[in-house]
Amino acid sequence: MTALSDIKAISFDVDGTLWDFEDALARGLEAALREVRLIDPEGTEGLTVDHLDQAWVVERDRQWGTITDLVKLRHDAMRRAFADIDTPDNHLANRATGAYLEERNRNSRPFADVVPGLEWLHGSYTLGTLTNGSMRPERLGLEKFFDFIVMSVEHGGIEKPDPRIFEIAVREARCEPHELLHVGDHIEYDVRGANDAGVKSVWLNRTGERSSSGVRPDLEVTCLSELADSLLGIKTH
């Protein structure tokens, strides 16, 4: 724990760390599927949420390292999904993307522990976000807590776990690498990425899953309140 006594700034992953992206994603894809089935029930008969999700994975991997527009990426994935079922229809892709975004945004809210945790940490540390995604703090009502925002799409598509995106966060936080603590839910993107960049890491493991990757965080917590208790405990000693 003493390794964290020099921390001056904390960067937070956003999707899955500050808000329940997986739930919003599922709701958004279900809304997209409902929309296109209403428009073309016959042409989209074999389409499923899994098809939509897998098409996004394929398209994301194809564009990895160059993604600067996540709405376009989602649209490209929708087009791929329709092409895969022999219904290449750009209008359907437009409608599906719109329905997805509307439903996802309707379900964007912070986890219950996030505001209390940030309130405890705010003022004691420089706080920021570091994300591969598109969600900004203001859309979650969290803008007052953060001093810097680093988004992959605004830096040429450089994504975690690439150490270069952590180096950008270090510059934005105006500290040394060992003085930055990165908090995230993904053991590879967040923990390995931070470790490789010389940044301290926290694995926010909300579900208590076991990691078999061999990657070790400097600290593991189940919620932001636990993180705040740990860090503020260090400051008072």
Side-chain angles (χ1 to χ4, degrees):
M1 194 69 73
T2 55
L4 302 183
S5 59
D6 293 334
I7 296 302
K8 294 181 179 178
I10 306 172
S11 60
F12 292 87
D13 169 57
V14 179
D15 296 349
T17 296
L18 299 182
W19 74 295
D20 193 347
F21 172 74
E22 290 300 323
D23 178 70
L25 170 67
R27 291 173 184 269
L29 292 178
E30 289 165 0
L33 189 59
R34 287 195 301 270
E35 178 76 4
V36 297
R37 281 181 172 165
L38 285 173
I39 298 168
D40 185 359
E42 184 175 341
T44 61
E45 183 178 1
L47 195 66
T48 67
V49 165
D50 285 343
H51 287 143
L52 297 179
D53 196 34
Q54 185 58 36
W56 180 84
V57 171
V58 172
E59 200 60 37
R60 178 203 61 190
D61 290 349
R62 189 182 71 82
Q63 298 185 33
W64 185 271
T66 63
I67 300 166
T68 57
D69 186 337
L70 287 166
V71 172
K72 180 181 180 300
L73 176 63
R74 181 62 64 181
H75 184 269
D76 290 346
M78 293 296 184
R79 290 183 62 185
R80 175 177 289 276
F82 296 130
D84 287 346
I85 61 167
D86 297 321
T87 308
D89 189 322
N90 196 56
H91 173 66
L92 281 180
N94 289 339
R95 293 290 292 269
T97 303
Y100 164 80
L101 291 171
E102 182 178 351
E103 187 65 20
R104 189 204 70 166
N105 292 339
R106 185 182 295 121
N107 288 279
S108 57
R109 61 187 64 88
F111 286 112
D113 62 295
V114 167
V115 170
L118 293 177
E119 285 177 340
W120 289 331
L121 295 168
H122 186 240
S124 296
Y125 299 92
T126 298
L127 303 183
T129 60
L130 172 55
T131 179
N132 291 350
S134 61
M135 182 60 73
R136 300 185 67 89
E138 57 267 27
R139 285 169 50 193
L140 296 169
L142 302 175
E143 63 273 16
K144 67 179 181 180
F145 297 112
F146 295 111
D147 304 294
F148 64 92
I149 297 170
V150 178
M151 304 179 75
S152 172
V153 293
E154 295 178 351
H155 293 279
I158 303 170
E159 297 191 10
K160 297 176 293 180
D162 191 321
R164 292 177 296 169
I165 200 72
F166 289 92
E167 292 166 5
I168 292 169
V170 168
R171 291 200 300 271
E172 291 292 318
R174 299 182 178 182
C175 66
E176 297 299 318
H178 72 278
E179 295 172 331
L180 178 65
L181 183 67
H182 179 68
V183 182
D185 68 305
H186 200 286
I187 198 73
E188 292 292 328
Y189 295 167
D190 295 304
V191 178
R192 185 188 293 278
N195 292 352
D196 289 349
V199 169
K200 299 300 182 183
S201 60
V202 175
W203 185 22
L204 180 55
N205 185 7
R206 294 183 180 279
T207 60
E209 67 179 280
R210 297 175 66 89
S211 171
S212 59
S213 68
V215 179
R216 295 289 177 264
D218 291 288
L219 179 65
E220 180 178 338
V221 298
T222 60
C223 62
L224 290 197
S225 301
E226 187 179 341
L227 172 64
D229 287 344
S230 297
L231 292 179
L232 297 183
I234 292 170
K235 274 191 171 289
T236 57
H237 284 80

